[in-house]
Structures are given as C-alpha cells and as structure tokens.
Amino acid sequence: VQGGIDATYGIGYAGVWASNVDFGTNDPSVEIDLYGGFRPTVGDTSFDFGALYYGYSKDKGAAGSFSYFELKAAASRTFGPATLGAAVYYSPEYPTDGGSATYFEGNAAVPIAPKLTLSGAVGRQTIKNFKDYNTWNVGVAYALTDRLAADLRYHDTDEHGLGKIYDSRVVVSLKAAF
C-alpha cells in the first residue's frame, strides 16, 4: 500500500510519500520519503531540480543504515504530441554501505487516444560497492476527469545482489490533483 501528497507554489514543490516495504528480512517494514525542489522552464524545456530523503523504520540492518539522501536533476521536452525526458539521481552514500550511487533514466510519453497516454522509462543504477542493474517500466494512464487519473504499469529490473526485491510487478495507481 502506498500513498503520497505534494504541495506546489509557483515553481517550488515539496511532498511526502509512504509505503509498506518487504526486503525479505526482519528489517524495514515502512518507507517514508520526504522531497522538495523546483521546476523551472527555459524555452521549450522543463527542468526539475530536487532533493529526496528515503527514511525507513527499523533503520539499522546488519549491513548498516537503510535510510539515505539523494539529489535529482531532470529535463523534459515535448516533440509534437510526445514528451521525452531524462533524469539523473545521485546519492553520496547508498544504503547498507553501498557507497556512492547514480541512477540514470530516459523516459517518454505519448497520447494514444483521447484521455489515454502510453508511457515508459528505462534506467541504469550504478552503485560503487554492488552490482549495477537496469530498470524499466511501461504503462497507460487514463484521465478519468480533469483532476483524476488512473495508471496501470508494469515494472521490472535485472536480477541484482540486493536481495529478492527485483521481481516484476504490475501496479495500479490513482492520482488526484487539487
């Protein structure tokens, strides 16, 4: 179960997101993320610069802390009806003594019918003290109203040395804007 809320003012934003988690151990069972940043637009390009803190219950596992801090830089631009984007996330200390980590992502979205948008992303996680791995997702979003959308998405990743948390998932989400 997951949920979050964001607040925006001008180009600034802040939010909180929470979820139950299961890393296959007796360690964290809850994740609470805090984040904020700003989203300026220069010409036809939208940017997103932010900071994120991933906090976990029962924070001390056998290999160190699960909680960590990350910086984000992203850009996106429309090309006709499609939107293409890229993002990079950097953490000076990845959880459980992973060392520095960088995540790179390319993403795209295109409307395929009135109120229906196809989107996806491909990413690469590099971690100094662990095996690197790839991520990907694809899904469709349907605008139920001007302020309410439903999203059906398939997520997957390569097998990696961070435990059995890499199985594929199908996620249904509902987003409301006020």
Side-chain angles (χ1 to χ4, degrees):
V1 175
Q2 303 171 348
I5 188 164
D6 294 357
T8 60
Y9 183 77
I11 65 170
Y13 67 92
V16 62
W17 178 88
S19 177
N20 60 313
V21 295
D22 182 359
F23 295 151
T25 65
N26 290 329
D27 290 314
S29 59
V30 176
E31 174 181 343
I32 299 175
D33 302 344
L34 304 172
Y35 49 89
F38 60 100
R39 294 184 181 121
T41 300
V42 178
D44 295 337
T45 305
S46 298
F47 294 92
D48 183 347
F49 302 104
L52 303 94
Y53 176 76
Y54 302 89
Y56 294 90
S57 64
K58 300 180 189 174
D59 195 26
K60 296 296 180 185
S65 176
F66 285 93
S67 299
Y68 67 107
F69 173 77
E70 199 170 57
L71 296 172
K72 172 188 181 181
S76 65
R77 184 172 181 184
T78 58
F79 296 90
T83 301
L84 299 178
V88 61
Y89 295 79
Y90 171 77
S91 175
E93 185 58 48
Y94 197 76
T96 63
D97 300 325
S100 62
T102 307
Y103 178 75
F104 304 93
E105 179 185 276
N107 52 66
V110 62
I112 55 176
K115 298 185 178 187
L116 192 64
T117 301
L118 174 67
S119 64
V122 175
R124 175 97 174 143
Q125 178 72 66
T126 63
I127 308 168
K128 181 179 179 183
N129 297 326
F130 295 122
K131 181 181 173 185
D132 299 345
Y133 62 93
N134 300 307
T135 67
W136 55 93
N137 72 72
V138 64
V140 292
Y142 182 75
L144 300 166
T145 70
D146 289 343
R147 298 189 177 272
L148 189 64
D151 188 274
L152 175 65
R153 187 158 305 277
Y154 172 81
H155 295 265
D156 206 352
T157 183
D158 292 345
E159 182 173 339
H160 49 69
L162 300 176
K164 288 282 192 181
I165 61 172
Y166 52 79
D167 290 337
S168 61
R169 298 282 189 265
V170 174
V171 176
V172 176
S173 60
L174 191 62
K175 181 177 182 180
F178 303 97

